Amino acid sequence: MKKLIAGLTVLFASVFCFANDYLNFSIPLEWGFYWQDKKGSSGADAFEYIWSYGVTGEFFHTFSGPFGLGVKGGVKKCDVSIEIDDGDNQDANSIAWSLAPSIGWAFDGSSTKKKVNIYPLIWERYSLTDMEYVEDDKLVVTNYKFGASFSWQWGDDMVSNGLEFGFSLPWEGYLEYDGTKVSKNGTGFDFHIAYKLSVCLTN
């Protein structure tokens, strides 16, 4: 029993003794579009053009190797143009938020750092304002997406700066008007480029 406990202790220590904790911050510029299908006779088809900028924060923990797990959240200012049914375009503004677990790999070289992250589920939600004929915050967009990003950075062991490129695709997305779904089966894509700052907390 003592050998088992000792072995587990050594294994646990070997996993975490070279672990690193990172705080990652980014300022992304994002562009994309999503098509929403009508839900029932009272719904509406919609085509969303999205342009946004914002800020994200991510806590990322690597284990004994480059592999790690984390969580990422962010807010962004969106400019949205929605074409509903017969080609009537509605422009809107929004502050959106998102939350996602992350799986990834952080490769720290002598002068450059490379990070690859996969986001299996991104939860994103935003309420639209300043629309003609629609009251503020009555029209809400919810997206469930998955995506990935790659970053290339330079710096020392503690702080690194660089660029990030990423994309996401929808699992599902829909519009709600005043709490009632008016569309379903969102499809489309978005991509982003971002300035990225990483701080290693454990070196």
Side-chain angles (χ1 to χ4, degrees):
M1 187 65 178
K2 289 182 179 180
K3 290 183 178 180
L4 177 60
I5 293 173
L8 291 174
T9 301
V10 170
L11 177 62
F12 184 82
S14 67
V15 168
F16 285 93
C17 65
F18 298 108
N20 282 322
D21 291 327
Y22 294 91
L23 284 180
N24 301 316
F25 302 95
S26 68
I27 302 175
L29 298 176
E30 182 181 86
W31 180 85
F33 72 88
Y34 286 91
W35 173 263
Q36 311 283 352
D37 293 329
K38 182 186 298 184
K39 179 180 174 63
S41 60
S42 62
D45 291 333
F47 193 76
E48 304 167 46
Y49 299 91
I50 300 171
W51 166 256
S52 72
Y53 57 90
V55 61
T56 71
E58 179 180 31
F59 175 79
F60 190 73
H61 176 86
T62 61
F63 298 95
S64 57
F67 176 75
L69 300 172
V71 61
K72 182 177 184 178
V75 294
K76 60 185 178 181
K77 171 70 171 64
C78 299
D79 295 323
V80 183
S81 178
I82 296 185
E83 180 182 313
I84 299 175
D85 283 342
D86 58 0
D88 180 26
N89 286 311
Q90 293 273 334
D91 293 326
N93 296 307
S94 178
I95 300 294
W97 57 265
S98 63
L99 186 66
S102 63
I103 303 168
W105 295 263
F107 304 97
D108 291 348
S110 57
S111 60
T112 62
K113 326 287 181 182
K114 299 178 180 67
K115 296 182 176 70
V116 178
N117 286 87
I118 297 171
Y119 303 98
L121 178 62
I122 304 167
W123 181 24
E124 180 181 74
R125 187 174 175 89
Y126 48 98
S127 300
L128 303 182
T129 61
D130 304 322
M131 295 183 69
E132 190 177 6
Y133 313 124
V134 179
E135 292 183 48
D136 284 357
D137 300 323
K138 287 288 183 112
L139 192 59
V140 178
V141 178
T142 300
N143 289 317
Y144 298 100
K145 307 187 295 184
F146 64 96
S149 67
F150 169 79
S151 63
W152 180 84
Q153 297 169 281
W154 59 93
D156 56 29
D157 291 338
M158 291 298 295
V159 179
S160 55
N161 298 272
L163 294 175
E164 178 183 276
F165 304 89
F167 71 93
S168 60
L169 300 168
W171 289 112
E172 182 184 9
Y174 53 85
L175 298 171
E176 291 176 284
Y177 180 75
D178 200 16
T180 300
K181 283 187 181 181
V182 295
S183 74
K184 61 179 181 177
N185 299 329
T187 186
F189 75 95
D190 57 65
F191 64 87
H192 73 266
I193 181 171
Y195 161 74
K196 185 173 182 178
L197 166 69
S198 296
V199 179
C200 184
L201 303 177
T202 49
N203 275 340

